[in-house]
Amino acid sequence: WNEDEAANVNESNSIGRMLCWLCFLEFLDGAAAADSTNRSAFSSYIKNCGSVQHILSLALSYASIENDRATLLSIIDIKELMKDEDSLEVSKVATVVLFRTVEVLPTLSKNWWTNDCPRIQSTAVSKFVQNKVAPETLKRELERIKNATEFGDMSVSGSCVSREITATYMQDECQLSFAIQIPPIFPLRNVDVDGKKTLGIPEKRWKRWALQIQLMLNSQDGTLLDALMLWKENVDKEFEGVEPCPICYSVLAVKTHELPNLECKTCCNRFHSNCLHKWFQNSGKNQCVLCQQPWSGTRIN
């Protein structure tokens, strides 16, 4: 909505808008569970609409985020919140909106906190994230990882106490191992990924894989499960002989999971179409990234 509409929103309308947003987040979660690329598609659309800035600013104006720990029960249980629709409290709905938005759209929430959250309330928001959102979100993530059936030969373990997730994957007698350290205030602070225990792989290569995990978690609204699965799929493709895109250094595109599908006719290197289009747009050139010849390419199916 525009600024004039926002100025005239009453409490009843605010509750309606926030409940609609919560329904949307539930839908997004379901769509992402069916196909992880849906999450990035929704995230891109929401970013273009500017919805997160509006809804979080609205929620913050009503939320009680400095209450004691007892509030935590109502924060995470939407079904409990909706049991008695006639007695919905705007502060409770707003607090749930803050919690769920940070959980489902961590990157967009971080951008809002950095750029749009009023400074006088930024400390309260960060404490709310650290004390209530981050612990429960990590607990839920670890439960999803525990129940995942797609890992195959990859083993994953994690702890809510150390806030570290470790993934180990054996591929062609090479031990690939990564430790993902989740900061207590995540997603307002970025995760750190360490692959130094990886054996049999050049440092440059495992650092590129670590960067892929960081990119998914820190700037693509991805979940831990999404990041681990994307890493595993990238590793599998690389060991099959597929070369990564020279622009993003990933075999599978982070957002679409597509393989590099545009091949330069001069140097025969392959790029993701989205990566190449962004390169052309940002550089103002129509040349191959590597050989610097005027672009003449072929789409590979």
Side-chain angles (χ1 to χ4, degrees), residues 15 80 118 120 132 135 177 199 205 212 215 224 239-240:
I15 290 176
E80 189 69 27
I120 195 172
K132 297 185 177 181
S177 181
L199 302 176
R205 198 175 187 186
Q212 293 165 8
L215 180 64
L224 282 168
F239 274 88
E240 290 172 9

Side-chain angles (χ1 to χ4, degrees), residues 74-85:
S74 62
I75 292 173
I76 62 175
D77 194 347
I78 298 175
K79 293 181 181 178
E80 189 69 27
L81 179 70
M82 295 299 296
K83 278 186 176 179
D84 187 0
E85 298 181 26

Side-chain angles (χ1 to χ4, degrees), residues 28 126 162 223 236:
L28 193 161
S126 65
S162 65
T223 65
D236 289 342

Side-chain angles (χ1 to χ4, degrees), residues 262-269 271 288 291 293-299:
L262 287 180
E263 181 177 276
C264 176
K265 290 183 178 180
T266 304
C267 65
C268 297
N269 283 289
F271 307 85
C288 174
C291 70
Q293 296 301 308
W295 176 258
S296 177
T298 305
R299 183 172 293 274

